[in-house]
Amino acid sequence: MNRPPTPGLYFAPVGIAHLTDSNTDLIRAAAQGRTQLRVTTAAQLNGHPHLGTVTTIMAVFALTAHMADELGLPATIIFDSLENAPAEHVTIDGRHYTRNVQDLIDGGVLDGVERSSGFRRLLAWASARSTIGWQERPYATYQELAPVRACLHTIATRQNEFAPVLAPADGRIRIRPRCPQCRLMDKDAHHLTIRAGAGMVLLDSACPHHGPYQEVIPVAGRGGWYDANTPVRSVQKVALLAAERELYDACSVSIDGPDWGGAWFAHVIAPALAVLGVPVADWPVSVFTPMVLDRTGGKLSKSLYVRYGREYADLPPAFLDLDLLLDTYGEDALEALWQEAVRWAAEPRRLHRSYTVDHLAALIPGARMGEVA
């Protein structure tokens, strides 16, 4: 039997919940005098959304709707669909190479509609339920935006300052081109050389099949393509959000899963903003949704489930695939998760914590979990 959402659930007092009466307080100062609320979130197109992704996107829309209502501002959500996610892994002479999702779509190996349909279905549902509009922005478009490329040029110009932040383990900043003939990309950037030219960034690498090549990335205008790994892309994103304050007269906010809060924000984002010289008053606001935990206390991981199966977690397959979730439990499942996300959005003590997959399963009418190991 499904239990109600509140009994038996406890909310430990955490610092930020003491500081805020409403989650809107997190962005209130940044929204002062602005004419709109512009929220950005992102996901890799690496398959159908699983339960953690579903609840994160629900929370993004619920939070945006709550904040827009309290501030009296129109709001838009920008969904960065990351088709540059790795989709094929190749090892040659001990070196790790990849091709990304879009490469395999272009080559006819993957179905582009199948890769994105689950996300678009979920975004459309949450948009209709929240009455908040959304726009999709592919990575190919994102990497050409003027503030993003200006940040790229700054990183290329000041590599010694950025390397300890963006690549503390080995010092290799990963701004990677791909072979123009076969699209293999040197994942670990062993052959990569990054140079800042006048109004351009020059990326030199080598393909194991076709030899050396160069990609020229103009800072102004279009043309050229590069793959920025997660820390580089994260820093470019906050630089973009900072610029959007003036570009759109907007309160620019990123709302993402909690992976990108805590240590990530402290050790990557904040130091990078300081190196970029962005004034503290212009730092974009970052808000983080609750983490969905497996039974070991770790983040619920679809990749671990695919790799280890029931040894990792005895979960209904529907929890790993939005289409199966809807086929099995219907839209009542989305409505139940939406109502939970609305509670998170309304109360700081509910937002700033983690939830187990069992808790979410108990909210879905008809859902059953396996026995705890």
Side-chain angles (χ1 to χ4, degrees):
M1 179 179 292
N2 291 85
R3 60 177 173 78
T6 300
L9 195 62
Y10 300 94
F11 300 95
V14 295
I16 198 69
H18 286 301
L19 189 64
T20 53
D21 293 324
S22 164
N23 289 316
T24 307
D25 294 336
L26 298 170
I27 72 167
R28 199 176 300 280
Q32 186 68 36
R34 299 296 168 178
T35 60
Q36 62 174 304
L37 180 60
R38 188 175 171 88
V39 172
T40 302
T41 193
Q44 291 186 326
L45 299 185
N46 53 6
H48 295 284
H50 74 298
L51 191 64
T53 303
V54 170
T55 54
T56 294
I57 289 177
M58 291 276 193
V60 170
F61 277 86
L63 276 163
T64 302
H66 179 78
M67 292 171 171
D69 180 63
E70 292 200 337
L71 293 169
L73 292 176
T76 302
I77 291 173
I78 310 301
F79 175 68
D80 282 325
S81 55
L82 304 177
E83 79 280 3
N84 64 319
E88 180 184 17
H89 299 267
V90 180
T91 301
I92 301 173
D93 296 330
R95 294 287 170 84
H96 186 200
Y97 299 87
T98 64
R99 292 184 179 92
N100 66 37
V101 169
Q102 191 61 53
D103 293 333
L104 298 192
I105 290 173
D106 292 344
V109 177
L110 294 179
D111 184 328
V113 173
E114 189 274 338
R115 275 278 159 164
S116 59
S117 62
F119 288 97
R120 289 174 180 156
R121 185 178 185 181
L122 174 61
L123 289 157
W125 191 95
S127 176
R129 192 66 182 80
S130 64
T131 71
I132 299 294
W134 68 284
Q135 302 169 13
E136 183 175 359
R137 182 168 59 192
Y139 176 77
T141 299
Y142 167 87
Q143 59 92 27
E144 286 189 330
L145 296 174
V148 172
R149 290 208 165 176
C151 180
L152 180 76
H153 192 266
T154 300
I155 293 172
T157 303
R158 302 165 62 186
Q159 294 179 56
N160 289 340
E161 296 172 77
F162 278 101
V165 176
L166 301 177
D170 57 20
R172 291 198 299 268
I173 299 174
R174 288 156 171 79
I175 304 169
R176 300 168 292 215
R178 59 189 174 187
C179 175
Q181 296 186 59
C182 68
R183 294 197 174 184
L184 272 183
M185 184 170 61
D186 180 6
K187 177 70 172 175
D188 297 320
H190 287 288
H191 302 293
L192 177 67
T193 300
I194 304 168
R195 291 178 292 150
M200 67 184 69
V201 174
L202 305 174
L203 304 174
D204 291 280
S205 190
C207 173
H209 301 309
H210 302 102
Y213 62 92
Q214 182 181 82
E215 186 84 7
V216 178
I217 311 297
V219 175
R222 298 181 177 180
W225 185 94
Y226 59 93
D227 174 67
N229 77 337
T230 302
V232 175
R233 191 175 65 248
S234 294
V235 171
Q236 289 178 305
K237 179 177 176 178
V238 291
L240 172 64
L241 294 177
E244 285 184 342
R245 287 172 58 83
E246 304 307 322
L247 286 172
Y248 297 98
D249 191 25
C251 173
S252 288
V253 182
S254 67
I255 304 181
D256 293 295
D259 313 43
W260 314 115
W264 186 267
F265 194 90
H267 293 283
V268 179
I269 300 303
L273 283 166
V275 176
L276 287 169
V278 178
V280 173
D282 293 337
W283 282 21
V285 181
S286 296
V287 179
F288 305 101
T289 63
M291 181 173 285
V292 178
L293 302 179
D294 62 25
R295 288 170 172 171
T296 71
K299 176 188 174 184
L300 178 65
S301 169
K302 182 176 180 178
S303 61
L304 289 180
Y305 182 83
V306 169
R307 183 173 180 180
Y308 296 110
R310 294 182 65 178
E311 179 184 345
Y312 165 68
D314 190 7
L315 301 176
F319 284 16
L320 281 301
D321 185 323
L322 174 64
D323 288 346
L324 283 178
L325 183 73
L326 288 168
D327 290 344
T328 305
Y329 304 113
E331 290 204 2
D332 285 350
L334 294 188
E335 182 61 31
L337 295 173
W338 172 256
Q339 292 301 328
E340 180 72 351
V342 168
R343 286 186 283 267
W344 296 350
E347 300 181 54
R349 68 194 183 104
R350 292 179 182 267
L351 180 68
H352 304 292
R353 56 157 292 160
S354 301
Y355 294 87
T356 65
V357 66
D358 295 80
H359 170 73
L360 296 178
L363 302 176
I364 299 173
R368 295 288 183 271
M369 293 288 287
E371 293 298 320
V372 177

